[in-house]
Amino acid sequence: MAVSTTAGGTTAVGPKALCPQRLTMEHVTSRWGVLVLIRLLERPHRFAELRRAIDSTESVGPVTEKMLAQTLQNLERDGIVNRDVKPVIPPHVDYSLTELGHEAAEQVRALALWTNERLSQVERARESYDAAKGRA
């Protein structure tokens, strides 16, 4: 019987449990995971500046504090993001990519760039498909 932790943090048992590879893929390719990885490729960020950087991304709605914290926690647990807490008041926390995270982020960025470069072809294919299926 398979047991795993789902993307939402709950435990799943049985056939609905995610395999470890699928769970990692979900964390890396989630809506916010992709943006976190690409932003952290630039440099380490503090939480608030990472949130602002993500919110400034075109065509993406704002990320909630809870969702960003959950995304970072999942990526940290997977060994992709490093959380560095400085012992000062107020606490200073920097998020950066681990070596593994840098590798994953490069792959995600390559896919994002490919998507941008090929979007016109994808849109034409969608139009052709919809026309063939009689969709408006």
Side-chain angles (χ1 to χ4, degrees), residues 5 15 30 66 69 115-116 132:
T5 303
S30 70
K66 178 182 177 184
T115 303
N116 286 340

Side-chain angles (χ1 to χ4, degrees), residues 1 8 13 15 26 32 34 37 40 43-45 48-49 52 56 62 67 76 81 93 97-98 105 108-109 113 121 123:
M1 177 180 305
V13 178
E26 243 180 62
W32 305 117
V34 167
L37 292 175
L40 290 179
R43 62 178 177 78
H45 284 71
E49 70 178 342
R52 283 191 301 274
S56 71
M67 197 70 231
E76 181 184 7
V81 167
V93 181
L97 295 173
T98 63
V108 167
R109 183 173 61 181
L113 291 172
Q121 290 174 275
E123 288 173 336

Side-chain angles (χ1 to χ4, degrees), residues 4-7 18-27 77-78:
S4 69
T5 303
T6 64
L18 296 175
C19 69
Q21 294 89 345
R22 171 96 183 194
L23 186 59
T24 302
M25 180 75 87
E26 243 180 62
H27 293 163
R77 183 171 182 251
D78 291 343

Side-chain angles (χ1 to χ4, degrees), residues 34-46 50 72 75 80-82 94-98 102 105:
V34 167
L35 295 174
V36 164
L37 292 175
I38 289 172
R39 290 299 181 176
L40 290 179
L41 258 177
E42 299 165 0
R43 62 178 177 78
H45 284 71
R46 292 183 71 181
L50 182 58
L72 287 165
L75 293 171
I80 293 170
V81 167
N82 181 50
D94 285 318
Y95 293 92
S96 60
L97 295 173
T98 63
H102 190 79

